[in-house]
Amino acid sequence: MNIPPATTRLRGIFTPNIVPLTAAGEINEAELRRYTDWLIERGVHGLYPNGSTGEFTRFTPEERRRIVAIMADQAAGRVPILAGAAEANTRETIRACEYYHDLGVRAVAIVSPFYYKLSPDGVYAYFKEIAVNSPIDVTLYNIPMFASPIDVPTVQRLAHECPRVVAIKDSSGDMPHMLRMIQAVRGERPNFSFLTGWDAALVPMLLMGCDGGTNATSGVVPEVTRRLYDLTIAGHLDEARAVQFRLLNLFDAMLYSADFPEGFRAALTLRGFATGAGRQPLSENQQVDISVLSRTLQCLLADEGFVDEPVGGCPAGEATASDVDTTQVRRIVDTVVAELTRRGLV
Amino acid sequence: MNIPPATTRLRGIFTPNIVPLTAAGEINEAELRRYTDWLIERGVHGLYPNGSTGEFTRFTPEERRRIVAIMADQAAGRVPILAGAAEANTRETIRACEYYHDLGVRAVAIVSPFYYKLSPDGVYAYFKEIAVNSPIDVTLYNIPMFASPIDVPTVQRLAHECPRVVAIKDSSGDMPHMLRMIQAVRGERPNFSFLTGWDAALVPMLLMGCDGGTNATSGVVPEVTRRLYDLTIAGHLDEARAVQFRLLNLFDAMLYSADFPEGFRAALTLRGFATGAGRQPLSENQQVDISVLSRTLQCLLADEGFVDEPVGGCPAGEATASDVDTTQVRRIVDTVVAELTRRGLV
Amino acid sequence: MNIPPATTRLRGIFTPNIVPLTAAGEINEAELRRYTDWLIERGVHGLYPNGSTGEFTRFTPEERRRIVAIMADQAAGRVPILAGAAEANTRETIRACEYYHDLGVRAVAIVSPFYYKLSPDGVYAYFKEIAVNSPIDVTLYNIPMFASPIDVPTVQRLAHECPRVVAIKDSSGDMPHMLRMIQAVRGERPNFSFLTGWDAALVPMLLMGCDGGTNATSGVVPEVTRRLYDLTIAGHLDEARAVQFRLLNLFDAMLYSADFPEGFRAALTLRGFATGAGRQPLSENQQVDISVLSRTLQCLLADEGFVDEPVGGCPAGEATASDVDTTQVRRIVDTVVAELTRRGLV
Amino acid sequence: MNIPPATTRLRGIFTPNIVPLTAAGEINEAELRRYTDWLIERGVHGLYPNGSTGEFTRFTPEERRRIVAIMADQAAGRVPILAGAAEANTRETIRACEYYHDLGVRAVAIVSPFYYKLSPDGVYAYFKEIAVNSPIDVTLYNIPMFASPIDVPTVQRLAHECPRVVAIKDSSGDMPHMLRMIQAVRGERPNFSFLTGWDAALVPMLLMGCDGGTNATSGVVPEVTRRLYDLTIAGHLDEARAVQFRLLNLFDAMLYSADFPEGFRAALTLRGFATGAGRQPLSENQQVDISVLSRTLQCLLADEGFVDEPVGGCPAGEATASDVDTTQVRRIVDTVVAELTRRGLV
């Protein structure tokens, strides 16, 4: 028996989680359970396994199911679960929807087709077939930097035709695009939910009508994203804005200093979890870069009071990416280049 | 004698204006003066001649000077003027700065170098040379869809080194980028002003710390952008948001239905100004498209109470770009394609 | 026991094949075997299952193995096989390499990591781990429109460090990029092979040093791509060029008139194969578009002498995408738009 | 009196020249005359002032005219001149066409509208108006990285409607695009000329039907581009290919190591011309980068026998961008980063 489409909006911060792995590269179930508890205790409104942060493409179909099963079991209904359910094709995806439905998750999230870049008509046909056959609510997942974009008319058309489609998660960070979607859909579907996946614009998105977010930073600093959400909803704009600016620092450091989601994995390690190494191998250079990043992240997390400063301390004042004395770095690099030139190496 | 750098921020909506032309393609001075008065009377905080809306690249250096001279004379100090001053190279640009300084404008705006895509170092060197030599305040103008992007470290560096650089106008519409700039600069330069050129995100930009905007819609519906600004500053968020959604409709219709800024020119004609044809020639198809667009715009402007509905009336409800019955259009187009196929034409 | 790295270059046209499906959406083994024979009989130099044309992402891991097993069994050593072997992560990919090795394929092709956009260092680390552990030769697969780009230094580094990496298949169609790769690698690795996946530039790529291609058109008109290859290698430049221009028409029609690879599937149907519907669902509009496309393709194939003209005949002269009387189409569309406007629909 | 449209194709290498400047930043007429002679004596087929290499946007309208006047006077009919004639709008551009016509140049080249990104219809309308009013032949100039792209249907339409449009110069380096243009136009307009502006693909472009090029490297090593052209036309494919690979090294070094066209200016200085500094100011970092680049360029030019090796000598073997020991550089950079980290700077 299918659950009827929801009559209330999805709201709040749904946390896309890193999957801890053992030294052998297998899912670390014990750590995943401990992480699930930790997130719930720190106030996240929901869980979002098999998201991009969860590296869903790097697991097998069986592993994806197992991740959700473990987390659903551990959460035990304390918070709703939004389960990433995209598989190789619509038939496999629908089967996954059925499986997650049986686990009792609140809804599934389906990323737009990726690898191939589909036309809007192709994106529509894909979601339509899934929505018609899914036993549970479906959240569209738009992440144009990785997958075929879901444009506004397609969202509107799916919202109009498919009661089972109840939300969109948009990770573009594009404010006008979000406003256009809200305007195109909210009149007809007042309970349709708009979630932003772009932590760097969380406060303004909430102010303009978003219902929440699926934000990777909430997997690292759930206390901060919860506070940001509560302050914004309560209308404490000045404080919310201040938290947004601090979150932006952390988000940028985790996002832009390493291949995604390695920065988030490094930060989660600092919060005390045995994440293990990811499944995407890292070159030696990348490992060095992550060591450097970890120190920066530790300073940022120390600033928030979550960890101690690293040995040797942090730069004075608020730690930001721009704290680097770029002039000094430049001067050193110039010296190096000059030396290389002298030796005839460049 | 140079004016010292300003000690107060640029604030409010500075209107980038279309330049009315005569049938012979010359600047229509009388209409430009009438338009200047009309804008000031409707509450714009400032004027912004020689912006992208003002098609600065399509005028000669002498014409660009004349446009500012006419408007400065007509404004007669009632509102400040931000004059677009980019010329072929830094030497010519500095001369233009001197000329506009003598006219008494409040500041100049310099678009980042275009045609060639410069590196951040090149963008820095360009603005630095101008800032050091300009007798009046300089606003950086970032419009990455048309010109070399000005990245956050470059803004920070120029703000740090150049007291003469007092503001940035950013037309990317990218909220996280705006937040990063504010965070990088405001601490050191509390009077540095952040203006957004992207009308589709005006309310959230103002909510997050922007000081105002240079918004092409304000040249067409100055009453609306002024109301939006006042509501936002006063903290009437619900009303401000509603105005933002309406403005978005109008902005999108003007921006995406014709080569920029033809949609804005068409709308200004509907408001009663003899804009004349632009200097970029239009194909027959484009002229047809603009006729269709004009009808849509008239309905949108009628909705706001500025003009009568077109003969034949407007669709019921709020007129939006999505009011089109796309299914019906599709069906008709399919019929056409089938007919073309039958005739062996495609 | 591993096969030692090859001492001769991969050469010629390796055909990436569409996978025929039954009405139930399962692999149509009988038709796939018939198609395999047909390709070999028409002169393709090799087979390339699980390529992008083969929609590898839309099959399960088990199905991908089965497709190669069927084709390897049917080919029975008549031509070499290059098997697409990318799976969810390096461990799964290495297992697939082992499986394909046991089937006796000539080499595997591994697409660069997709969905996530990796840095060059990440791309390097990924291929390095696979190359070190694969029992058979590895072809790098660069397709920057769909997957993380493999840049020239990374190709050079992998070619330098990994004897097991014996070739690159590049589907960018970017001639200077191909020249840079050849220049960076050929000196050190004279048997390293360069294959182009971009049919629109096949002749010039071969002329400048490529060893062959993996070309989707060869799955539809293997006679033509073989002729093109032979003419080019034999130095008959005028004739080769003429064939290239004709192939370009067909390629563009198949590639740009429908979401990939639907145009190729439609054309293969015209060549007499029961391809079945693809796994990506199509909207009604898409189905109409493909009907229109099929007629165009039938005319292009009739031009080559492979099929009869469609009922009603083809336009006079060589059928090309530009045969459409665009002025007439415009006029009709204008009429439609005017009528829609009159009815107040737009 | 107008010159009738040409009945023979433009052919060969037309050199886009750097404009030497004096210490005061003015056009260095004596050096420009000497440079003009030098180019003609080294075998360039034509001259192409006011191209992108010539930084046409950084000169005033009067200066652009003067540059052509000086070169036309100096060339004195020895080689044809293709004069860049784009001005602020179509009226100004047509006036420039008239001026260049009176100077006796062979044709003008008009870059597609830039800054604003025009639709294909807008691009068409722009060139149509110019073509109808120009007294001399017009070459379309497509450079999509800097200006509105000219798509294939637009080229075809203009070639069909405008006898005055006699050629296209395409700087995209996109081989399939070039083939599509040739196929769309050559049948109807056998004397329409196709020139490539992308030196990295000059040989294959010529092999596939291009008539020549407007190539910035020919302003630095005219002997090489002339040899490349002659070898290709004569059918000496192996030698032509070898020259293409060497030219690619030089082109990449000049193009990618500095903001365009600074690398070309640096190389021209090495050939013995007093180019002066460009009009776009350079940061200190950029000046250091160009010093490093100059050494590399000197080695590349020494390899060709045009200059002596720099003091201290060049790396053994053919100098290429990839001669850098990147591992060693990495190690040094890692050391620097580690040191910076230790000092708490990053």
Side-chain angles (χ1 to χ4, degrees), chain D residues 105-298:
Chain D
V105 309
R106 168 67 186 82
V108 292
I110 313 280
V111 70
S112 187
F114 53 93
Y115 189 71
Y116 304 99
K117 295 293 169 283
L118 295 192
S119 63
D121 258 324
V123 170
Y124 160 78
Y126 176 82
F127 282 118
K128 176 74 184 256
E129 180 158 319
I130 293 167
V132 165
N133 291 286
S134 169
I136 53 170
D137 289 352
V138 171
T139 297
L140 311 175
Y141 178 6
N142 185 39
I143 183 164
M145 68 179 153
F146 290 163
S148 305
I150 312 177
D151 65 11
V152 176
T154 299
V155 175
Q156 188 175 29
R157 192 176 178 191
L158 290 165
H160 177 68
E161 297 180 9
C162 309
R164 193 48 99 190
V165 174
V166 301
I168 184 161
K169 176 210 164 165
D170 183 276
S171 292
S172 70
D174 182 338
M175 172 66 75
H177 180 72
M178 183 62 85
L179 297 181
R180 287 177 190 120
M181 289 196 297
I182 292 175
Q183 189 168 32
V185 170
R186 191 151 276 173
E188 184 183 5
R189 293 280 307 272
N191 289 327
F192 197 96
S193 180
F194 296 88
L195 305 173
T196 179
W198 201 242
D199 315 37
L202 188 48
V203 166
M205 290 282 183
L206 292 170
L207 289 173
M208 295 305 289
C210 272
D211 301 288
T214 58
N215 304 103
T217 52
S218 73
V220 175
V221 287
E223 309 89 339
V224 176
T225 50
R226 178 58 189 262
R227 184 150 51 94
L228 181 152
Y229 180 84
D230 289 345
L231 287 168
T232 308
I233 297 305
H236 299 310
L237 185 51
D238 287 347
E239 290 161 275
R241 208 191 284 121
V243 177
Q244 173 72 77
F245 277 115
R246 293 178 75 86
L247 191 71
L248 182 60
N249 274 351
L250 189 61
F251 180 68
D252 284 359
M254 291 191 291
L255 190 64
Y256 294 120
S257 305
D259 281 355
F260 184 80
E262 292 305 325
F264 294 84
R265 194 189 324 273
L268 186 57
T269 305
L270 291 169
R271 293 293 319 252
F273 288 93
T275 61
R279 289 191 166 182
Q280 161 62 30
L282 300 176
S283 72
E284 288 182 20
N285 286 320
Q286 289 180 299
Q287 290 172 28
V288 170
D289 291 346
I290 287 175
S291 301
V292 174
L293 171 62
S294 279
R295 190 183 175 92
T296 303
L297 292 174
Q298 191 167 348

Side-chain angles (χ1 to χ4, degrees), chain B residues 14-17 46-52 71 82-84 109 141 169 214:
Chain B
F14 286 74
T15 300
N17 61 287
L47 300 171
Y48 174 32
N50 289 338
S52 297
M71 292 179 67
L82 181 62
Y141 178 6
K169 176 210 164 165
T214 59

Side-chain angles (χ1 to χ4, degrees), chain A residues 24 26 52 55 57-58 88-89 91 115-116 118-119 121-122 125-126 129 146 259 279-281 283 285-286, chain C residues 24 26 52 55 57-58 88-89 91 115-116 118-119 121-122 125-126 129 143 146 259 279-281 283 285-286:
Chain A
E26 305 293 344
S52 296
E55 298 175 284
T57 63
R58 292 170 180 162
N89 53 56
R91 189 171 57 178
Y115 190 72
Y116 303 99
L118 295 192
S119 63
D121 258 324
Y126 176 81
E129 180 159 320
F146 290 163
D259 281 355
R279 289 191 166 182
Q280 161 62 30
S283 72
N285 286 321
Q286 288 179 299
Chain C
E26 305 293 344
S52 297
E55 298 175 283
T57 63
R58 292 170 180 162
N89 52 56
R91 188 171 59 178
Y115 190 71
Y116 304 97
L118 296 192
S119 64
D121 258 323
Y126 176 82
E129 180 159 320
I143 182 164
F146 291 162
D259 280 356
R279 288 191 166 181
Q280 160 63 30
S283 72
N285 286 320
Q286 288 180 298

Side-chain angles (χ1 to χ4, degrees), chain B residues 6-340:
Chain B
T7 54
T8 57
R9 289 190 210 166
L10 293 178
R11 279 188 205 274
I13 308 293
F14 286 74
T15 300
N17 61 287
I18 290 277
V19 178
L21 299 178
T22 65
E26 304 293 344
I27 296 166
N28 185 335
E29 179 173 338
E31 201 68 354
L32 181 56
R33 288 183 179 274
R34 190 169 75 88
Y35 184 29
T36 300
D37 282 346
W38 184 86
L39 288 170
I40 296 171
E41 288 159 9
R42 270 150 194 82
V44 305
H45 300 93
L47 300 171
Y48 174 32
N50 289 338
S52 297
T53 311
E55 299 176 282
F56 71 99
T57 63
R58 293 171 180 161
F59 290 92
T60 65
E62 297 71 30
E63 287 176 324
R64 281 190 284 271
R65 282 166 161 80
R66 195 173 154 231
I67 290 163
V68 180
I70 291 170
M71 292 179 67
D73 180 68
Q74 190 67 21
R78 286 178 288 171
V79 296
I81 292 180
L82 181 62
E87 295 292 340
N89 53 55
T90 53
R91 187 170 59 178
E92 299 296 321
T93 297
I94 292 162
R95 283 180 191 160
C97 291
E98 292 163 351
Y99 178 82
Y100 297 133
H101 165 257
D102 292 344
L103 286 181
V105 309
R106 167 70 185 79
V108 292
I110 313 280
V111 70
S112 186
F114 54 93
Y115 189 71
Y116 303 99
K117 295 293 168 284
L118 295 192
S119 63
D121 257 326
V123 170
Y124 160 78
Y126 176 82
F127 282 118
K128 176 75 183 255
E129 180 158 321
I130 292 167
V132 165
N133 291 285
S134 170
I136 53 171
D137 287 353
V138 171
T139 297
L140 311 175
Y141 178 6
N142 185 38
I143 183 164
M145 67 179 154
F146 290 162
S148 305
I150 313 176
D151 65 10
V152 176
T154 300
V155 175
Q156 188 174 30
R157 191 174 177 192
L158 289 166
H160 176 69
E161 298 181 8
C162 309
R164 192 49 100 190
V165 174
V166 300
I168 184 161
K169 176 210 164 165
D170 184 277
S171 292
S172 69
D174 182 338
M175 172 66 75
H177 180 71
M178 182 62 83
L179 297 181
R180 287 176 190 121
M181 289 195 298
I182 292 175
Q183 189 168 32
V185 170
R186 193 151 275 173
E188 184 183 5
R189 292 280 306 272
N191 288 328
F192 198 94
S193 179
F194 297 87
L195 305 173
T196 178
W198 201 244
D199 314 36
L202 188 47
V203 166
M205 290 284 183
L206 292 170
L207 289 174
M208 294 305 290
C210 275
D211 301 289
T214 59
N215 305 102
T217 53
S218 74
V220 175
V221 288
E223 309 89 340
V224 176
T225 49
R226 179 58 189 263
R227 184 151 50 96
L228 182 151
Y229 180 84
D230 290 344
L231 286 168
T232 308
I233 297 306
H236 300 310
L237 185 51
D238 288 345
E239 290 161 276
R241 208 190 284 123
V243 177
Q244 173 72 78
F245 277 115
R246 294 178 74 86
L247 191 71
L248 182 60
N249 274 350
L250 188 61
F251 180 68
D252 283 359
M254 291 191 291
L255 189 65
Y256 295 120
S257 304
D259 280 356
F260 184 80
E262 293 305 324
F264 293 84
R265 195 190 321 275
L268 186 56
T269 305
L270 292 169
R271 293 288 325 248
F273 288 94
T275 61
R279 288 191 167 181
Q280 161 62 29
L282 300 176
S283 72
E284 288 181 20
N285 286 319
Q286 288 180 298
Q287 291 172 27
V288 170
D289 290 348
I290 287 175
S291 301
V292 173
L293 171 61
S294 279
R295 190 183 174 92
T296 303
L297 291 175
Q298 192 167 348
C299 289
L300 287 165
L301 291 172
D303 252 21
E304 302 289 339
F306 296 131
V307 300
D308 291 333
E309 288 197 352
V311 176
C314 293
E318 196 179 319
T320 75
S322 49
D323 268 336
V324 180
D325 181 340
T326 51
T327 311
Q328 184 159 359
V329 173
R330 277 282 187 188
R331 207 172 302 133
I332 292 171
V333 170
D334 289 349
T335 309
V336 171
V337 170
E339 176 60 21
L340 291 172

